[in-house]
Amino acid sequence: MSIENCKIIDLQVINDHRGKIAIAESGIQVPFDIKRVYYLFDVPTSAERGGHAHRALQQVLIAVSGSFNVHIDDGYNKRTFNLNHPSKGLSLCPMIWRELDGFSGGSVCLALVSDHYNENDYYRNYEDFKMDIRAR
Ligand code: TYD
């Protein structure tokens, strides 16, 4: 449950004269069974997204178009990734506070996630998140 477990993963890419395909499969590139997919689009360049952590949800974020920053924090350490290529994903384990910003125009953030939407899985308050981390 630390930022050390949050890694860039390489998607499979198949390339021919017609263009490229990037592939993400559960149990191969993605370290969990994918139960839900969502994506952010039409994001204003000044917008900040995220601002939460998940108790159990695992995610892979992919900049399928454009680029953005993902700031991650496990309650002790912080790190920033710039996602800028559709063949790379950022794998996020549970109990990671994340904030997304620096969206380029027209960027799309695709999220592959391990479970259905459940608001009870969210920490929306950073202090609550940090208190639970420290209590572990
Ligand atoms: P949120 O996860 O806070 O977005 P982000 O992390 O990208 O800033 O979700 C924004 C809103 O959308 C919030 O009201 C919850 C809702 N939502 C769903 O209803 N289902 C979903 O699958 C997701 C991801 C969000």
Side-chain angles (χ1 to χ4, degrees):
M1 306 286 188
S2 89
I3 58 169
E4 301 305 318
N5 303 115
C6 299
K7 293 195 163 67
I8 295 292
I9 58 173
D10 292 316
L11 306 184
Q12 182 188 1
V13 176
I14 296 176
N15 183 16
D16 65 29
H17 67 279
R18 301 165 300 165
K20 295 176 180 165
I21 304 178
I23 302 154
E25 287 190 76
S26 294
I28 302 179
Q29 298 83 10
V30 178
F32 51 82
D33 284 343
I34 300 164
K35 279 204 187 158
R36 178 166 52 111
V37 171
Y38 67 86
Y39 49 93
L40 308 177
F41 65 105
D42 281 353
V43 181
T45 54
S46 60
E48 294 174 2
R49 307 260 349 180
H52 57 74
H54 287 283
R55 289 178 164 79
L57 196 77
Q58 301 177 71
Q59 297 189 292
V60 170
L61 303 180
I62 303 165
V64 292
S65 182
S67 63
F68 50 85
N69 301 317
V70 186
H71 308 280
I72 60 170
D73 175 352
D74 61 15
Y76 296 98
N77 296 298
K78 301 180 186 202
R79 190 169 172 190
T80 295
F81 290 89
N82 180 252
L83 293 186
N84 58 15
H85 201 277
S87 70
K88 305 278 181 194
L90 174 62
S91 182
L92 298 177
C93 61
M95 297 302 285
I96 299 292
W97 189 266
R98 84 288 311 272
E99 293 173 3
L100 283 68
D101 65 12
F103 289 89
S104 65
S107 57
V108 177
C109 171
L110 175 68
L112 313 175
V113 301
S114 62
D115 214 339
H116 299 293
Y117 172 73
N118 175 9
E119 186 60 34
N120 294 330
D121 187 65
Y122 281 76
Y123 288 94
R124 296 281 187 187
N125 179 289
Y126 183 74
E127 293 310 318
D128 292 345
F129 162 71
K130 206 148 176 189
M131 215 165 18
D132 279 6
I133 288 279
R134 301 278 166 180
R136 279 170 182 239

